Amino acid sequence: NASEIWNQAKPFVKLRSGYLIVDDSVLDKRYSRANALVKLQYSGNEHGLVKGIDLVNFLWTDGEKIIPVDYRIYLPDVDQKDKNDHFQEMFKRAVKRGFSPQYLLMDSWYGSVKNFKLIQKQRWYFISNLKSNRKVSVTKGEYVSIQDLPLAHKQVRRVWLKEFGSVLVCQLVARNGDMTYLVTNNLGLTDYDQFTGHFDHRWKIEEFHRGIKQTTGIEKCYAITAPSQRTHIFAAFMAFFQLERRRISDGVSWYEQKLSITRMAMKNYLIYANP
């Protein structure tokens, strides 16, 4: 399945440009019967635990195209792998495939020192959210939590990230006053608007998660065996490629394409049900 995902993705991606993004998403299965792939998962949409199947997704975008290139099913009770293990496997596979994107984008869940070092070793640049308690230093040997680091409005500051090395950091302030922090290993990315502008592309994976759920029925499989569930998820990815292919070529949104299929089915039903 992973090789066929790549076969579908390959014609659309440019290996040495664009952005690779990693994130996971929970397929809601709260009303499912006993199911081999379902476990209690934390869902960001629900802000709590929900029964579901957690997919760790790797996606490429150039700002317009939204192309999944790899995915893994998070099942630590079966394979003893956490989400970062899956990320590292997909990252290494992306390297072998020849990717060298402008940036690899991720949220704080994947922003571990181990992941940063793996990316740095390949001489890739990353931009990641950073948890507010991560330790940074301006004066050698003196560490503070990044939330306690003085950062002026739109300031990009060079610091030493504990156990990693020199990075640039900045602060994002949401309309409701919530603060988040970004970090990059590209020490030349000193312009705040460029820094945050690159990271804005991370939201393409949120668009993908919403789109594949609302247009392909990826959450709608009622089989309870692992092979059936895996086949259904794979088929949903294949359907998404068809939707994205037409969106790119004809400018028709995924949602309009789904509606057109429904309209056609209803029209044919009415014709043949009432000859």
Side-chain angles (χ1 to χ4, degrees), residues 26-51:
V26 175
L27 307 181
D28 193 331
K29 296 287 186 179
R30 71 184 71 191
Y31 303 114
S32 177
R33 297 171 292 159
N35 189 309
L37 301 186
V38 170
K39 66 188 292 294
L40 275 177
Q41 316 269 5
Y42 177 80
S43 169
N45 288 336
E46 299 295 328
H47 303 290
L49 294 175
V50 65
K51 283 172 62 180

Side-chain angles (χ1 to χ4, degrees), residues 84-95:
N84 285 292
D85 293 327
H86 289 303
F87 160 70
Q88 289 160 23
E89 286 182 0
M90 291 190 290
F91 173 81
K92 291 173 183 175
R93 177 171 280 181
V95 171

Side-chain angles (χ1 to χ4, degrees), residues 24-79:
D24 57 282
S25 181
V26 175
L27 307 181
D28 193 331
K29 296 287 186 179
R30 71 184 71 191
Y31 303 114
S32 177
R33 297 171 292 159
N35 189 309
L37 301 186
V38 170
K39 66 188 292 294
L40 275 177
Q41 316 269 5
Y42 177 80
S43 169
N45 288 336
E46 299 295 328
H47 303 290
L49 294 175
V50 65
K51 283 172 62 180
I53 300 172
D54 200 345
L55 296 182
V56 184
N57 295 308
F58 224 38
L59 181 136
W60 180 87
T61 184
D62 58 1
E64 295 296 330
K65 298 174 185 174
I66 298 176
I67 309 297
V69 296
D70 209 345
Y71 72 88
R72 296 288 187 278
I73 297 174
Y74 173 56
L75 277 176
D77 296 339
V78 175
D79 57 20

Side-chain angles (χ1 to χ4, degrees), residues 190-240:
T190 55
D191 183 275
Y192 179 88
D193 291 331
Q194 290 184 14
F195 195 157
T196 57
H198 285 303
F199 191 69
D200 283 345
H201 288 88
R202 199 194 75 82
W203 290 102
K204 290 296 180 182
I205 201 165
E206 304 291 351
E207 291 181 34
F208 165 70
H209 289 156
R210 183 170 60 251
I212 197 170
K213 289 177 182 179
Q214 294 182 4
T215 62
T216 70
I218 194 171
E219 295 178 302
K220 304 297 185 183
C221 179
Y222 302 107
I224 61 174
T225 63
S228 295
Q229 285 284 345
R230 290 180 186 276
T231 299
H232 180 81
I233 291 168
F234 172 72
F237 271 81
M238 293 296 100
F240 179 84

